[in-house]
Amino acid sequence: MSRNGVSQLKQVCLYFCDWSGSSKGMRALLDQENGKFWEFAKSTTDVNFVVQLRKGRHPYMKALYRNGREHVHDCKNLNEFEIIRKLHNIKNQWGDKAKKIGNGKLTKNPSIQGLYVPHLWLNTNSLIRYNKQQQQEGTKQETTKQ
């Protein structure tokens, strides 16, 4: 994804093994001459792609972003279509930390007191009556002083 027209993804490194079964999908993706990976690489000219052979290791992708962060994505036992989907997800991220989304904590025993809401009692009838009583007592004290 881009911020202010600048793509945030800087480099994608693909690591795979030429022998292990868990790299089968990655090898199939890279072996195709006119496959989806090469179309994806040609369409994203602002991203550098690095393909490295790592013998005896599971396949993974490392994404480097312009803000200095890097995300590592496991590609173990994925087929080529799932890897392409993962590449699209990497491209559409900003590279920021994951942000917490959602509501507060759900529990079996919710608070009896409820949530704190400031100024909750400002306009209730009991508060109005209390304020009137305070004003009346204040006027009574003023009249007794005079």
Side-chain angles (χ1 to χ4, degrees), residues 70-108:
E70 70 179 44
H71 292 185
V72 178
H73 298 271
D74 183 33
C75 297
K76 183 171 48 172
N77 296 326
L78 297 181
N79 63 24
E80 56 218 57
F81 302 108
E82 293 169 334
I83 295 172
I84 285 291
R85 187 179 323 137
K86 207 168 258 224
L87 273 172
H88 282 288
N89 289 343
I90 288 172
K91 182 184 172 193
N92 292 334
Q93 289 178 351
W94 279 351
D96 291 340
K97 274 184 156 181
K99 294 181 176 80
K100 184 177 178 183
I101 298 174
N103 297 335
K105 187 176 177 183
L106 297 175
T107 64
K108 291 181 182 177

Side-chain angles (χ1 to χ4, degrees), residues 29-43:
L29 181 72
L30 296 173
D31 286 343
Q32 298 173 358
E33 289 296 323
N34 296 321
K36 291 192 179 269
F37 173 74
W38 303 110
E39 291 173 14
F40 181 79
K42 287 176 186 174
S43 67

Side-chain angles (χ1 to χ4, degrees), residues 2 27 48 59 61 65-66 70 81 94 103 106 109 112 118 134 138 146:
S2 63
R27 286 193 309 269
N48 296 331
M61 287 187 284
Y65 293 94
R66 297 208 188 277
E70 70 179 44
F81 302 108
W94 279 351
N103 297 335
L106 297 175
N109 304 322
I112 296 171
Q134 292 297 323
Q146 294 175 355

Side-chain angles (χ1 to χ4, degrees), residues 113-130:
Q113 297 174 351
L115 295 174
Y116 172 72
V117 180
H119 311 298
L120 180 66
W121 300 103
L122 284 183
N123 295 325
T124 60
N125 291 333
S126 60
L127 185 62
I128 293 170
R129 268 188 258 121
Y130 176 76

